[in-house]
Amino acid sequence: MKKLSNFINGKSVESKSGETTTLVNPATGQPFATAPNSNAADIDAAFKAASDAFPDWRDSTPSQRQRALLKIADAIEERAREVIAIECENTGKPISLTTTEEVPPMVDQIRFFAGAARNLEGKSAGEYMPGMTSMIRREPVGVVGQVTPWNYPMMMAVWKWAPAIAAGNTVVLKPSDTTPASTVWMANLMAEFLPAGVFNVVCGERETGASLVNHARPDMVAITGSVAAGIKVAESAAKQLKRVHLELGGKAPVVVFADADLAAAAEAIAVAGYFNAGQDCTAATRVIVQDSVYDQFVALLTEQAKQVAIGAPADEDVFLGPVNNSNQLARITDLLSRVPAHAQVTTGGSALDRPGFFFPATVIAGLHQSDELIQKEIFGPVITVQKFTDEAQAISMANGVEYGLASSVWTTNHGTAMRMAKAFDFGCVWINTHIPIVAEMPHGGFKRSGYGKDLSAYGFEDYTRIKHVMTNLGA
């Protein structure tokens, strides 16, 4: 059994609690490591380290911060095989897809924020009152507490710490209790390039996360997680009036018009729906199809699902790995045990009888807007299909959920695409594609999907505060 440790003030340290959690390989269902189940004393120590490190890191120059992040990106790229092996053992992800679809964007995102460190701008200085010159300073918020999820452990860690550290903040990050391995590895690597205390990692379960969020020290708390977790964070932060950044759940509508290239759409939607075993807040899992091509499209999606290769991380040509943990597998199974009588499971629908937490690519047709499977985030390899007649109904169905993170529309009509893009109440709209993400563009939602942006200059600015400075020209 491997043994993970917390990383505080530039070194690996044991938890003061002495308690541990067991990490399980989702592809085998077998334990492979232990991690600390940290307590309030560990959180105190991490925030003290971050607080002590903050003044010097805040006063570092943008070029110094840029240089540190570029070195981190280079080191991760050079040691990619090492972190890929760690990530895939901890998550069950296919090695081939993690190699091509996660590490390159992750490294690119670090380099983007390294560049952003030197491009932070405010309003131009000027005289808005006779005899006085005003200017705007953008400053780091301070010490930031962050919580990351289990679906993309290493990439979501980057989305959190890279903009925060680039802007001059210091960080205490708690990874998910089921997937801390790659984040701990990253902290050890980053220590070569960052002053002690700038980046700290504390492992633990839900109570550890609550201690981090409720702690008096952080000036800002940022999480990626469930709506329920986001509400608790917002409630806690409100009592202390601290800043909050929330990237929560999603239920992406995928609206397919009759004039779309149906075969191409079905293939692309299957990729975007089953990638990472559907464990993605932006996954293309809620398909809404125009009635005249509905039956044809259900058949196309069903055939695509049947062709999805499922297997363990090292299996050749595998696309669909296991879901992350036994609780998530049980949740998916429970939701699908209640498929309403008016709906049809055209393929898949039940967990596979094999070691690990495998669920097959599944299609459920004939669902109604009010059905639980439409309104709740399944977070698994399950695509639902509904039918619409006209644009107005498509918009109503697309927007008729509590989430507002991502969406897509499939059509060859430019006007239709533009009208839908305007009408969708979602933070991202893709047209004739679904799921591509780039560092330069913001990722974040509306409604119960949270607020704040990851990636882009907008995400970078979220980790800054604005100060007005006015000087008397006659003094």
Side-chain angles (χ1 to χ4, degrees), residues 257 409 411 413-422 429 431-432:
F257 282 87
V409 56
T411 178
N413 186 295
H414 178 74
T416 300
M418 291 296 97
R419 289 191 299 274
M420 300 299 283
K422 178 182 177 182
V429 180
I431 298 173
N432 291 322

Side-chain angles (χ1 to χ4, degrees), residues 12 24 27 70 75 84 138 227 284 302 327 337 375 435:
S12 296
V24 175
L70 289 175
I84 289 165
R138 274 198 176 270
V227 172
T302 301
N327 289 339
S337 72
Q375 295 298 322
I435 226 167

Side-chain angles (χ1 to χ4, degrees), residues 222-253:
I223 78 159
T224 296
S226 67
V227 172
I231 291 171
K232 289 181 179 179
V233 170
E235 288 174 343
S236 173
K239 295 175 183 177
Q240 302 177 57
L241 292 178
K242 66 178 60 173
R243 292 195 180 198
V244 178
H245 184 287
L246 303 175
E247 201 279 277
L248 308 178
K251 193 71 177 175

Side-chain angles (χ1 to χ4, degrees), residues 112-132:
F112 170 83
F113 285 115
R118 301 185 72 165
N119 286 280
L120 194 58
E121 298 176 349
K123 191 174 182 180
S124 298
E127 289 69 48
Y128 304 97
M129 179 181 290
M132 301 287 182

Side-chain angles (χ1 to χ4, degrees), residues 15-39:
S15 169
K16 297 178 186 299
S17 73
E19 298 178 2
T20 62
T21 59
T22 300
L23 306 183
V24 175
N25 184 330
T28 65
Q30 296 301 310
F32 74 94
T34 62
N37 186 19
S38 304
N39 61 14

Side-chain angles (χ1 to χ4, degrees), residues 426-446:
F426 294 84
C428 175
V429 180
W430 287 293
I431 298 173
N432 291 322
T433 188
H434 194 111
I435 226 167
I437 289 174
V438 294
E440 293 84 355
M441 290 291 109
H443 176 87
F446 308 144

Side-chain angles (χ1 to χ4, degrees), residues 438-456:
V438 294
E440 293 84 355
M441 290 291 109
H443 176 87
F446 308 144
K447 300 190 290 188
R448 287 168 74 89
S449 288
Y451 41 81
K453 298 295 182 184
D454 287 316
L455 303 177
S456 78

